[in-house]
Every structure is written in C-alpha cells, then in structure tokens.
Amino acid sequence: MCAAAALGAEAEGGISRVAVIGAGLMGSGIAAHLANAGAEVLLLDIVPADLPAGASRSMLAEGALAKLLKSDPAAFMHRRNARLITPGNIEDHLDRLAEVDWVIEAVVERLDIKHEIYAKIDATRKPGCIVSSNTSTIPLAQLVEGASDDFARDFMITHFFNPPRYMRLLELVTGEHTDPAKAEAIRTFADVRLGKGVVPANDSPGFIANRIGGFWVQCAMVEAIDAGLSVEVADAVLGRPMGAPKTGVFALLDLVGLDTVRYVGRSLMDSLPPDDAFRAVHREPELVTRLIETGYVGRKGKGGFYRLNTEGGRRTKEAIDLATGEYHAAARPRLDSISAAKRGGLRALLESPDAGGTYAWRVLSRTLSYAASLVPAIAPDITAVDEAMRLGYNWKKGPFELIDEVGAAWLAERLEADAQPVPPLLAAAATTGATDDAGAAGLDTAADAPPVGCFYRTVEGVLEYRTVDGAFAPVERRPGVLLLADVKRRGDRVAGNSSASLWDLGDGILCLEFHGFANAFDDGTLKMVGTAIETVLMEGFRGLVLYNDGDNYSVGANIGLGLFAANISLWPPIQELVEGGQQAYRFLKYAPFPVVAAPAGMALGGGCESLLHSDAIQAHAESYIGLPEAGLGLLPAWGGSKEMLLRHTRNPKRVNGPMPPIAGAFETISMAKISRSAEEARELLFLREGDRVTMNRDRLLSDAKARVLELVDGYAPPEEPTFSLPGASAKSALDIFVNEFVNSGRATAYDGVVSGHIATVLSGGDTDLTQEVSEDRMLELEREGFLALIREPRTLARVEHMLETGKPLRN
C-alpha cells in the first residue's frame, strides 16, 4: 500500500471519492491517477447524440476506461486500479455526485458548456463538496460568473499536465471567494496522495508553465525557421545544454501535438494584453499549417517534425527540412557551441559565436527576460515560477535559477546591448549583485567562497530567494518534505569518495548517497558501503538509508569497466568485484542496525540487489525495479539470485512444494523482468508485503528516515537462511521449459545457455532435498555462473552492444 494511504483521509484533505466529468484524454488520465492514489472515481461523459442502437449510454466513459488499460506509457500503476473507476454519463448518473468529496470538470474549453455543467453540479453535489476545473485557458473569474456564493467558495482551478500520472506539476488557482481551507485540502491530497508538486498560480492567462513554456517553444520554432537551422540542431542546442529534456523543442512539439500547441497559442493570443511579448513571437509558419492539415500533428498522428519511416521493414527516424518540408534521415549534429556547453556550462553556450550559440541566445535570452517580466503578475514569487517549469516542462532549472547560473548582471548587460528589455526584477537583481547581497547578509565574499546568486542564496544552511520587493526569504518546505540538497546545504558530508557519500540526516540516521553517471556501482561504491557500516557503529548513528536525488536510484554495476577488463582477460579484478559486491551486501543484510532502501526511477541489477539486502524498502511510486542481467548474457551475482529465491520461498501466497519458488525466481531472473511501477515491483516480489510506497518524490527521503526510526527499537538482524533444493532434478525441469522457448523461437540458443546457468544457481547445484544449502554456497554458485558467462564472446558482444546503442542484442 502507499504510505499516503496509511495517513487516513482526514490527514489527506478528507477526500476519498472523486468524480471526473469529461472522459477525454485529460479527464480519463486524471481519473486513472486518482485511482492510482486509491481513490474511488466516478468518470462521467455525455450520452452521444448519435448513439448506436444497442450501445451503452455510457459508451464514451467506458471506451475511455478501455483505452486507459491499453495506453503506453501505462496510465495505471497496476491494472487492478482500473476497478476503482466507475464509468457513467451525466444524464443518468449525475445524482451520484452527492456521494463524492471532489468534482473535477475536464470538459471542452467552452465557457457556456462549463457554466451549464456547473449549474448541474451545484444542484446535485453535497454541501461542502469541492469543485475544480482543469481548464488551461479560461480565467477563474469567468468560470464562477453567475454561480452561487457557496459554489464560488468551494471552487478553484486544478490544472494537471499530461500525462497526469507522470507529469508532477499541478497549478492551483484560487479566487477571491475560494475558501482557503478547501484549497489547502486539495493541496494536501494532491501533494501526498497524487504525488504532485502543487504550485500556486495567479488567475492569469496560461497560468505559469504554459505562459512561459508556450513563449519558449513558439520563440524556438520561429527563430529556427528564420535562421535556416535544422530541427536536429535546434533540439540539440535547446535540449540538454540548457538543462531541458533531450527532446529539445521540435520533438517536444511532436510529443504534445502540433494541434494542441496551436490551440494553446491561439488561446494566449485571445487573452493576453496588447503589449505582451508573446505577441511578437507568435505566428504559425506555413509549414506547420500544412502539417496539421495533412494529419502530421506529431506522435499521435502520422508524424510531425520527426517521423518513423518503416518502409522496407526498417525503422528509420526522419526529420523534416524546415525550408522544403521534405523528410531526411535524422542526423546527430556536431557544433562547437554544444562542445563549449559541455566544458563551460550554459554561459559558454550563449557566448559561442557559431549558429548554435547565436540561436541559443536568441531564444533563451528572450525567454528569461519574459519570465522575469511576469513576476508577480503570474505567480506570487520566483520559486513558484521555477518549480512550475521544472515540474511542468522537465527543465533541470527554472528561469531564475538559470539567470543565477549565467549571472544576472551579465544577462542584463547583454540584453541591453541587444536592444532587448531588461525587466525591473532582473534590473534590480543585477544592480545589487551577488557580492552586495552576500555582504549585506554577512556572508563570506572572499574569492574562494562559493558563489552566491542574485535570485537565490544560502544563509547558515538555509536556501533563500529574492522576493519581489528585493528582500530575501527562506524557501519554505511542506511538512514531511526532506531534500538531500537541503541536508547538503547544512554541512559537509560525513565521508565520501567519487562514487558515494555519507550524510547526516539528523536523529541519528545516516544516508548513503550514490552518485556518478546513472549512479552505477563500482569499487568505490562498495567501499563506501563498508564505510557506512563502520560509521554507524563507531560514531553513534542508529540506522542507515540508501538514497540519492538522481533521476535513477542506480542502473546497476558499471558494466563498462567489466567489459574493459574482460576484453583484455583481466579476470582477477572481475572476480574481486563480484566477491566485493557479495561481501558488501552481506554486511548490509546482517548489520546490527536497520537499513532502509529508498529507490526512485530505475533500480536495476546491482541497484536492485541493494534493495533485496535491505531490511525494508520505501519506494517512490515511479520505481522501475529489476534484474536485467540475463539480457546481457549474465546473471545476478551480488546475492540477487539467492535473495529472489528466498523471497519466493517465503511468499505467503506460494504454492506448496520445492519447485514453485524456484520456478518463480527463475521466470523473473531469466526473463529479465522489470517493474513499471512500485506496485508492479510488489507483484514481482522485489517489494515485500511490509514495504511501503511514497507517491511524492520530495517526501521519499523523509518517509525512509521515518521507517528507519520505526525499526530502531528492538532491532535484530535477520537469521541466516538455509535452502532445501532439489538440485539436478529441478535443473532438468527448468531446462525442458527453456528448450521449449528456444525451439519455438521465443528465445535464442544463447538465451538457453544463460538460462542454464541461472537454473543451476536456483536449483542449488550438486545437491538434493536431503541436504541443506547454505547462503555461502548459494553465493558461490552465483560467482561461478557469472564468471563462466562473462568469459563468453556472446556475452561480451551483448554488453558492448548495450553500451553503444542502449538496446539489447539478441544473439
């Protein structure tokens, strides 16, 4: 169950039943995510005017639910969550609104239709039921025109981003009559149960993220066309170098849909003031008009700025020529400006004289200037703007954080030289300057002191932001939120190396943070596991959390190092790494204090094995956990094979007999199964019955720390298990199963070889049911299997292919 569910409905805003009116893409997606949070959902839509004979009057909502179950990426964290949604229609089932705590309107963006719906809702809802709109364009003041006073008090805008399960931003807009207690109830529910970053937005056109993000993509599109750039160059420049997703702009437009972007742009043009800077960059190029008219609206259509050509049975990614409209094979651009950004950061990109640098400056300078001109019109402060862009557009840093990165004074000077406006908020920050702010705050302004930004600074371990009146105020965190970044601001690490660090979380709890590329594990990581155990024992700590703030907990062992060693036949270092991992995880498992692992994102291979050896797991809902080694021609050898067998053996729902646990673990490992959510991980037994799930990523570390503290009193390490395994007879049974897969073409011959080694480990090797197999023996079998497989040329080919392409090789 989710940790949030344990808090009770009252602690989460008193919301347990929700109705969603409008079963389109957004409405149905919102309904699915409400179900992910454990809420009972009533999904309503209209009865079609042309209802076919014999068809259900609720066919639109029922059809939407059916589509949700087939969606990719999956809308549900587990398929069983669909059972929490009841489809219906607004003619026959509107009376059921009297049973719900919250009604979300997600109908077409027409004010007259919304007003009609609101009148029906108000006549049916129970007293105090909260009502909100998912509108992205219509001001709240217009939505409540003519409504009753009670309705206005219970009404607000809750603007979700698509897809609702994966996009963390929720913009919350309240009106002058909105009851603050009702707004807080929604904020708490959305935060704790839905996992949203709830950002307060003013009742202004486009709110925050689409106002700035819409400007950014519109400016990027027209500037690229005007400059004669390719879409590949534009995306390469405005993607990772500026901290945006690798999709950049044109691939993002394809993802969102060109028709949707057109609608948002036109809506902004209809509602923005005459002097708004968006009007200067908004236009629909003839190419875009032609693409939309011919069905090339992006990924949901026949393609867009990119398309996938499958002629001749091959899948070729193609990009459109912005000048001619013809498609060509997409190429990876090489620009000096991109190289400069890798070496010197964002400012180096903006100062680069080539076409990429010029383009980056033309787009980003105007975007940052525009963002600075909008506060406080669109949001109460800069933190809301930055969080909205991080969570709504997946930028690594928000606009004001980017200004601090390049320097406010530098940006203001270049804007002025470029005859671009310098908004008062930016001008004030540039004039006072970071050094003046630091001196005024009593901070160290020596040359070797860490830099202090013009919009953000750290004072005595507390992050502060510049308010609109020029003062500084602490960045507030919600109760129950603990960020490792804040822990780092408060003091130095306890210990560390280039692979991992130890941090004091307070209350006697230590945190082991993995860092490095994709948080892959290497010898340095394993050494820090030993250091962590020593530190807890020697320095008076009471428990340990395994956690990091990265996008992924860990993708596993650094296979690149293993490939290098294997290619030159350096077998002893490989054996030492395998033995070192087994020893480190054994220490974790049997440490005389509780260890809680807190994964988010991918926890694969060695990362997954660290979870399996922990006392408890506090997983983020979006945790993708698995042992993919078989796909690389290897097997889990840091205790993962043994621990999965143990989980299946101790599963209270297991079928009696010696084979079911072996078969269950074998299926998971040999098929390299990876969960698509924490709840799927529970079904695969990566999570046990007592392990918990946190919906909000910002609450994960706090929840994990609290879990350690729960386990401290009376803690005793687990007893070492022994296994009763059939040996050769089980191996033969598994071989028959594998041979059927190979003979039917569902697996390759080499898959059969790899699976044979996995079967040997899980069946116990040379043993039978009259003997007990020790944990040490199981680890020995893992080592033998791994070291045999890594010497195979076909395994090395798989590993090399994965490193080069990121895709598995079937050989």
Side-chain angles (χ1 to χ4, degrees), residues 113-171:
I113 293 178
K114 291 182 186 291
H115 280 166
E116 182 181 344
I117 288 290
Y118 296 160
K120 294 179 179 179
I121 293 172
D122 201 18
T124 311
R125 69 189 179 109
K126 67 183 179 182
C129 172
I130 300 169
V131 183
S132 71
S133 174
N134 185 56
T135 182
S136 60
T137 59
I138 303 176
L140 185 147
Q142 294 181 23
L143 294 174
V144 296
E145 283 179 355
S148 68
D149 292 343
D150 285 344
F151 187 88
R153 276 194 297 270
D154 297 334
F155 186 84
M156 63 199 74
I157 291 173
T158 50
H159 182 215
F160 290 80
F161 276 64
N162 190 43
R165 170 183 166 181
Y166 300 97
M167 297 302 294
R168 288 187 58 202
L169 178 61
L170 178 73
E171 292 175 321

Side-chain angles (χ1 to χ4, degrees), residues 783-803:
R783 289 197 303 273
E784 290 173 353
F786 182 92
L787 294 173
L789 286 169
I790 201 169
R791 292 172 181 266
E792 287 274 359
R794 286 170 292 183
T795 288
L796 298 183
R798 288 188 176 190
V799 173
E800 189 168 357
H801 187 267
M802 174 62 73
L803 288 173

Side-chain angles (χ1 to χ4, degrees), residues 79-331:
R79 290 181 64 84
R80 64 171 170 264
N81 294 343
R83 301 172 193 165
L84 291 171
I85 300 179
T86 301
N89 66 78
I90 59 176
E91 291 185 20
D92 302 329
H93 306 117
L94 207 63
D95 60 318
R96 297 183 185 177
L97 296 185
E99 304 169 4
V100 306
D101 308 303
W102 178 18
V103 178
I104 302 173
E105 169 269 303
V107 303
V108 64
E109 293 283 75
R110 275 181 49 185
L111 189 58
D112 58 333
I113 293 178
K114 291 182 186 291
H115 280 166
E116 182 181 344
I117 288 290
Y118 296 160
K120 294 179 179 179
I121 293 172
D122 201 18
T124 311
R125 69 189 179 109
K126 67 183 179 182
C129 172
I130 300 169
V131 183
S132 71
S133 174
N134 185 56
T135 182
S136 60
T137 59
I138 303 176
L140 185 147
Q142 294 181 23
L143 294 174
V144 296
E145 283 179 355
S148 68
D149 292 343
D150 285 344
F151 187 88
R153 276 194 297 270
D154 297 334
F155 186 84
M156 63 199 74
I157 291 173
T158 50
H159 182 215
F160 290 80
F161 276 64
N162 190 43
R165 170 183 166 181
Y166 300 97
M167 297 302 294
R168 288 187 58 202
L169 178 61
L170 178 73
E171 292 175 321
L172 180 63
V173 183
T174 58
E176 59 177 322
H177 301 297
T178 305
D179 182 352
K182 298 294 176 63
E184 180 58 30
I186 293 299
R187 178 168 187 165
T188 300
F189 180 88
D191 171 355
V192 179
R193 290 282 293 277
L194 298 179
K196 297 299 179 184
V198 183
V199 175
N202 295 340
D203 191 17
S204 61
F207 310 129
I208 302 173
N210 280 343
R211 180 77 172 271
I212 297 172
F215 181 97
W216 175 61
V217 297
Q218 182 69 39
C219 183
M221 179 172 62
V222 298
E223 286 288 346
I225 292 174
D226 291 348
L229 298 180
S230 69
V231 296
E232 300 102 304
V233 166
D235 284 348
V237 169
L238 291 187
R240 286 176 171 165
M242 69 154 281
K246 65 179 182 180
T247 51
V249 170
F250 287 98
L252 174 64
L253 290 168
D254 280 353
L255 180 63
V256 173
L258 272 62
D259 53 342
T260 302
V261 174
R262 167 196 271 179
Y263 174 78
V264 172
R266 290 179 176 178
S267 297
L268 286 172
M269 288 295 287
D270 289 341
S271 54
L272 289 173
D275 60 346
D276 193 271
F278 181 82
R279 296 185 179 279
V281 300
H282 181 266
R283 73 172 191 266
E284 183 172 292
E286 186 274 334
L287 173 63
V288 173
T289 303
R290 189 167 72 250
L291 287 172
I292 294 174
E293 290 176 350
T294 55
Y296 282 83
V297 293
R299 294 189 187 181
K300 63 184 177 182
K302 296 185 288 185
F305 292 107
Y306 295 94
R307 72 176 184 185
L308 195 62
N309 190 332
T310 57
E311 291 181 4
R314 300 183 63 183
R315 295 164 59 89
T316 303
K317 182 180 180 181
E318 296 182 336
I320 202 166
D321 187 304
L322 294 175
T324 67
E326 300 296 323
Y327 285 96
H328 59 267

Side-chain angles (χ1 to χ4, degrees), residues 482-504:
L482 176 62
L483 304 183
L484 191 57
D486 287 341
V487 173
K488 294 177 180 181
R489 290 185 182 96
R490 293 198 291 264
D492 297 332
R493 64 183 182 180
V494 176
N497 57 30
S498 60
S499 302
S501 298
L502 298 178
W503 300 94
D504 185 351

